Amino acid sequence: MPAPDPASLHPEDPAPVTGETLRGDDWYGRDLTGLTYSACDFYDTDWTETTGTGARFDRCTFSGVRFNVSHLTATAFTHCEFRRCSFFDARLDQCKAVGSTFDDCSFRLLKVTGGDWSFTSFPRADLRKAVLDGVRMREADLRGARLDEAEVTGADLSGALLAGVSLTGADLRGSDLTALDAHTLDRTALAGARIDPAQAVGIAVAMGFEVV
């Protein structure tokens, strides 16, 4: 009788996948732990209620993918493109999305905690009431984005592009707002936004006030 395959006794992460195109696949409720995809295209796939830790997606395209109610931890989406994707009630904890772009996506009830989202692009994104807590978003492009009533707390927005952003009623406490140019924003875009005393001093100095 042949000896058992050692790999079957100690299964490892799935083999990396490169250059594949997936259309209409049903990944509902799938555990993505350990998956690695590079330069792959996902079209109209259902990722609803997916979970997992440590998956990696590099230079992939996601078009019409539903991430609804997914909960992913320490998962990387580096230099990926997201087009017309839905992130309804999705939770992304300590994830990485460096260099990724989000075009015409929906983010209702999105919650992002920690992780590195630097150099991401959200052109005119509707991020109203989203939660972005402790997220690193250095040099992120948020021009024209709507962050009304969002919780953007403890976030690193240094160098971010914020022209035309709307922050009405947003909670911005603890975030780096050095890239915010209050001179270029409509006053209504900042109405009701909450900041802490240290942020208030920084904005005042940036506007030319002498704080004594």
Side-chain angles (χ1 to χ4, degrees), residues 85 87 108 187:
C85 295
F87 291 87
R108 187 180 175 193
R187 185 173 298 179

Side-chain angles (χ1 to χ4, degrees), residues 161-182:
L161 302 178
L162 301 173
V165 69
S166 181
L167 298 165
T168 303
D171 187 351
L172 306 173
R173 290 175 292 181
S175 292
D176 185 331
L177 301 178
T178 54
L180 183 65
D181 186 354

Side-chain angles (χ1 to χ4, degrees), residues 71-130:
H71 185 187
L72 302 176
T73 303
T75 294
F77 296 95
T78 51
H79 305 286
C80 293
E81 295 183 26
F82 297 84
R83 305 168 185 161
R84 301 182 305 282
C85 295
S86 174
F87 291 87
F88 172 75
D89 203 19
R91 291 180 57 190
L92 303 171
D93 298 331
Q94 302 300 326
C95 291
K96 184 177 182 179
V98 173
S100 292
T101 61
F102 298 81
D103 187 18
D104 197 23
C105 297
S106 60
F107 301 100
R108 187 180 175 193
L109 300 181
L110 170 69
K111 184 175 183 179
V112 181
T113 304
D116 192 349
W117 290 56
S118 299
F119 307 102
T120 48
S121 180
F122 294 87
R124 300 170 300 282
D126 187 349
L127 289 159
R128 287 177 292 177
K129 298 186 178 181

Side-chain angles (χ1 to χ4, degrees), residues 19-171:
E20 288 196 2
T21 297
L22 296 87
R23 296 182 182 273
D25 286 30
D26 184 1
W27 284 23
Y28 184 96
R30 185 172 176 179
D31 183 356
L32 308 183
T33 298
L35 295 184
T36 299
Y37 281 77
S38 299
C40 292
D41 297 324
F42 298 84
Y43 294 101
D44 301 314
T45 56
D46 187 3
W47 287 34
T48 301
E49 294 192 20
T50 51
T51 59
T53 301
R56 293 182 294 170
F57 300 87
D58 181 57
R59 295 171 291 111
C60 293
T61 296
F62 300 86
S63 181
V65 177
R66 298 181 294 281
F67 294 90
N68 302 331
V69 204
S70 58
H71 185 187
L72 302 176
T73 303
T75 294
F77 296 95
T78 51
H79 305 286
C80 293
E81 295 183 26
F82 297 84
R83 305 168 185 161
R84 301 182 305 282
C85 295
S86 174
F87 291 87
F88 172 75
D89 203 19
R91 291 180 57 190
L92 303 171
D93 298 331
Q94 302 300 326
C95 291
K96 184 177 182 179
V98 173
S100 292
T101 61
F102 298 81
D103 187 18
D104 197 23
C105 297
S106 60
F107 301 100
R108 187 180 175 193
L109 300 181
L110 170 69
K111 184 175 183 179
V112 181
T113 304
D116 192 349
W117 290 56
S118 299
F119 307 102
T120 48
S121 180
F122 294 87
R124 300 170 300 282
D126 187 349
L127 289 159
R128 287 177 292 177
K129 298 186 178 181
V131 175
L132 305 171
D133 181 33
V135 186
R136 187 178 189 184
M137 299 185 73
R138 291 186 176 181
E139 299 190 43
D141 187 349
L142 291 163
R143 287 176 291 184
R146 297 192 63 181
L147 286 156
D148 309 310
E149 299 184 59
E151 295 181 29
V152 190
T153 50
D156 182 355
L157 293 168
S158 56
L161 302 178
L162 301 173
V165 69
S166 181
L167 298 165
T168 303
D171 187 351

Side-chain angles (χ1 to χ4, degrees), residues 197-209:
Q199 291 170 311
V201 171
I203 291 173
V205 171
M207 293 180 67
F209 290 99

